Amino acid sequence: MTQVTRFDPFNELVDDLFKGFLVRPVAYDGRANGALPRVKVDVAEKNGAYTVTAELPGVKKDDIQVTIDGAEVTLTAEVKREKEVTQDERVLHTERMFGKVTRSFTLPQEVDEAKAEAKFRDGVLELTLPKKAAAARKQVTIQ
């Protein structure tokens, strides 16, 4: 059986053009056959906070993990197979992917992890990530 993959040159072109513009991917392996598609993310800045919106279709709330380390944000999600194929069943065609997907990116400024909020509804994860207050400058007295 031959595996068919869809080639989308425009999507790859746009990814390459804007790579490093505002949201810089930490690691990007490219798309290999059988690999899960990347998590699509929108990032906006408003009222001293970043708003991150990520599409995670088919993922349950309990299977999502958000990690914040300074200005680096990592989203990890796992899509689980709903049912196993039985011995008497024969799969004729499948396009749905199952497995773990991770997306990391760095924001321009550090995030206040204690005030971060996350909401998940209808396959869309919404993060509100307040910026960390800049440390006050300290004047050193010369003796």
Side-chain angles (χ1 to χ4, degrees):
M1 184 173 193
T2 305
Q3 184 175 17
V4 177
T5 57
R6 182 186 305 174
F7 177 67
D8 187 0
F10 182 75
N11 193 24
E12 296 293 329
L13 176 67
V14 171
D15 281 349
D16 289 341
L17 270 174
F18 292 106
K19 193 179 288 186
F21 181 77
L22 181 63
V23 177
R24 296 179 300 281
V26 174
Y28 176 59
D29 299 329
R31 291 190 186 144
N33 288 339
L36 288 171
R38 289 185 357 166
V39 176
K40 299 200 186 301
V41 176
D42 294 336
V43 180
E45 183 179 6
K46 184 179 178 183
N47 298 330
Y50 298 108
T51 304
V52 178
T53 306
E55 293 180 355
L56 297 168
V59 178
K60 294 181 181 171
K61 182 172 76 169
D62 298 333
D63 296 330
I64 301 171
Q65 182 179 6
V66 179
T67 308
I68 301 169
D69 184 17
E72 185 176 311
V73 179
T74 302
L75 306 176
T76 305
E78 186 172 5
V79 180
K80 296 181 179 176
R81 186 178 291 269
E82 292 155 0
K83 70 173 194 146
E84 293 298 320
V85 178
T86 59
Q87 194 170 16
D88 61 337
E89 182 180 13
R90 186 176 77 152
V91 177
L92 300 176
H93 180 76
T94 184
E95 292 181 356
R96 298 173 60 206
M97 300 284 189
F98 302 97
K100 192 177 240 185
V101 64
T102 301
R103 176 77 188 263
S104 294
F105 52 90
T106 304
L107 297 169
Q109 190 173 337
E110 287 193 16
V111 173
D112 188 353
E113 299 95 354
K115 296 180 182 176
E117 296 178 2
K119 296 177 185 174
F120 185 67
R121 184 177 61 239
D122 298 332
V124 177
L125 176 67
E126 293 180 17
L127 303 174
T128 303
L129 308 172
K131 295 178 185 178
K132 192 174 268 188
R137 289 187 176 192
K138 181 179 177 184
Q139 182 80 24
V140 177
T141 306
I142 302 173
Q143 298 179 2

